[in-house]
Amino acid sequence: MESALPDPRLPALQSAFSIPSVDNFSSYLGSRNPFGRPVSGDDVVWLFDNTAFKPGRLSSWQAEFVAAVFEKEPKVKVVGMVTSIAETLGLADDAEELATIEERLLPFLWDVRPARHLRIVHQDREIKLGPTGRNGISTDILKLSEQPTGTSVKASAAVPRGISGELEMQTHFAAAEGWAVLSDVDDTIKVTQTSSPLGILRKTFVDPPSAVPGMPELY
């Protein structure tokens, strides 16, 4: 069944050569890149929640901030891929589900944006994140102001208008000792039907998300 679906890898490979040469080569420098550029209205930004910690009893709070930057307009033919998934699932050409398929498919098709940086407002101060590396992801371990253990602080991206994505995040200030829950997602807390290729397509691109019975109460 997988062989019947369109393969986006070739267009994606071709689009890699469209990255400006300065961004392409300077992205190897990661966070030390002096040629990084600020995000623009053509970008999609994702901020990820994080956990602040103290590496020692007398240490200050710090946390790893992770952001991802993508190019807003995909370079592949989205309509053809949406139609192919719909046909595989036996949906009509005018089915309402096509809009849902397109919305959920787009993040798989966005090209990453290397050598991009952005600013967020965190604890009433601006923090610079990035530049992003070759994978379009930036990681920065930064020191934070004092906060009571167990509290959460919201942050938002200070970016130009027109930028979409996940523009807010939270930092949880964790205690020095306690429990952490590390869990799989597919068919553990969310119904994905990983044993069925058609089930995976339907649960990923069409159906509303549904929890595995009993897992919300357990968590």
Side-chain angles (χ1 to χ4, degrees):
M1 188 197 75
E2 290 88 343
S3 61
L5 296 173
D7 187 351
R9 288 176 297 179
L10 183 57
L13 180 62
Q14 293 172 342
S15 68
F17 293 99
S18 67
I19 298 175
S21 57
V22 173
D23 292 346
N24 189 22
F25 292 111
S26 67
S27 63
Y28 283 103
L29 300 175
S31 61
R32 296 183 177 88
N33 183 1
F35 303 105
R37 296 188 288 166
V39 294
S40 68
D42 296 327
D43 298 330
V44 175
V45 172
W46 283 0
L47 299 178
F48 295 87
D49 293 346
N50 59 7
T51 301
F53 62 95
K54 289 185 176 181
R57 289 185 178 180
L58 302 179
S59 302
S60 58
W61 289 107
Q62 58 183 267
E64 181 181 36
F65 288 80
V66 179
V69 183
F70 307 92
E71 188 173 356
K72 183 177 294 185
E73 295 297 330
K75 292 185 173 64
V76 297
K77 295 181 178 179
V78 179
V79 174
M81 302 192 72
V82 170
T83 301
S84 179
I85 292 175
E87 289 177 349
T88 302
L89 294 174
L91 300 176
D93 292 341
D94 58 349
E96 295 180 359
E97 292 88 348
L98 266 62
T100 302
I101 294 175
E102 180 176 351
E103 179 184 1
R104 296 183 182 181
L105 181 63
L106 277 175
F108 292 95
L109 305 179
W110 289 330
D111 286 334
V112 298
R113 285 286 213 191
R116 294 294 189 275
H117 59 75
L118 66 139
R119 293 185 176 275
I120 64 171
V121 178
H122 190 281
Q123 292 180 304
D124 297 325
R125 67 186 180 101
E126 279 200 4
I127 298 175
K128 179 184 176 182
L129 303 183
T132 55
R134 294 190 59 75
N135 57 1
I137 297 174
S138 68
T139 58
D140 300 270
I141 297 179
L142 304 172
K143 291 185 177 181
L144 303 175
S145 303
E146 190 63 30
Q147 286 287 333
T149 298
T151 59
S152 294
V153 173
K154 291 184 178 180
S156 58
V159 294
R161 286 188 176 184
I163 291 182
S164 58
E166 299 295 328
L167 303 180
E168 293 185 342
M169 57 162 290
Q170 287 195 75
T171 298
H172 178 70
F173 289 77
E177 297 180 357
W179 291 91
V181 177
L182 305 179
S183 173
D184 185 24
V185 174
D186 296 320
D187 291 326
T188 301
I189 60 176
K190 174 184 176 293
V191 177
T192 310
Q193 295 185 349
T194 51
S195 60
S196 167
L198 284 176
I200 292 175
L201 281 179
R202 179 169 289 279
K203 290 296 182 182
T204 301
F205 294 112
V206 178
D207 292 349
S210 57
V212 173
M215 294 307 292
E217 293 79 8
L218 176 62
Y219 275 66

